[in-house]
Amino acid sequence: AYSPDAGASWHLPRLIGTEQAKRLLFLDELWGADRALAAGLVSEVCADEQLLTAAAELASRLASGPTFAFAQTKKLMREGAQRSLPEQLDAERAAGLLCGRSRDGAEALRAAMEKRTPVFSGN
C-alpha cells in the first residue's frame, strides 16, 4: 500500500471535495465515467468513438473564444485560492479593466452592437 503521489492529495480535494477524495483514495474503488462525472472529476463523458471529435470541437470552441479573457480568468482562479475575498474582488476588477481595454474587449462590444458573432484575436 502506498500514499497518493503526483499531487493527488493536493488536487483531488480541490477538484471533487475532501469527502469524495477520501473515498476515492481510501477505498480503492474503481470509478466509472458516470460516477466521475457526478463527482465533478470530469466535466463531460462521451463514447470512445466520439472522443476525438468531441475533443476537437472543444479545442476549436476554446481557440475561437476570447483567449485574452480566458488567460485573465485562469490567472484569477489560480491565484484566488491564496487571497481573501476582498483581495480577489480587487483582482477581478483589475482583470476586468484589462479585458475591457483589450482588442478582444472592443471586438466583443462591437459585435454585440452589430448583433454578430465576435471574432477574437487574443489581444
Side-chain angles (χ1 to χ4, degrees):
Y2 293 94
S3 60
D5 62 358
S9 65
W10 189 89
H11 287 290
L12 281 173
R14 286 166 172 78
L15 289 171
I16 63 175
T18 301
E19 294 308 312
Q20 290 288 357
K22 285 179 190 176
R23 185 164 189 93
L24 184 61
L25 294 170
F26 293 159
L27 299 178
D28 194 33
E29 297 174 337
L30 183 59
W31 285 18
D34 290 337
R35 178 122 185 232
L37 181 64
L41 190 56
V42 299
S43 61
E44 187 175 346
V45 174
C46 68
D48 290 351
E49 61 274 5
Q50 296 172 335
L51 180 59
L52 290 177
T53 301
E57 287 174 0
L58 178 59
S60 177
R61 186 173 174 194
L62 289 170
S64 66
T67 56
F68 183 85
F70 290 169
Q72 295 302 312
T73 302
K74 286 172 60 175
K75 182 178 180 188
L76 285 166
M77 292 174 67
R78 183 178 60 250
E79 296 174 358
Q82 308 306 316
R83 294 186 183 121
S84 67
L85 178 57
E87 291 169 332
Q88 186 69 359
L89 292 173
D90 286 342
E92 286 179 353
R93 186 173 23 262
L97 288 171
L98 286 174
C99 290
R101 294 178 184 141
S102 70
R103 289 183 188 149
D104 279 356
E107 168 61 9
L109 286 176
R110 273 192 310 275
M113 289 174 31
E114 296 169 4
K115 296 182 177 22
R116 63 173 173 79
T117 301
V119 178
F120 297 114
S121 65
N123 299 310

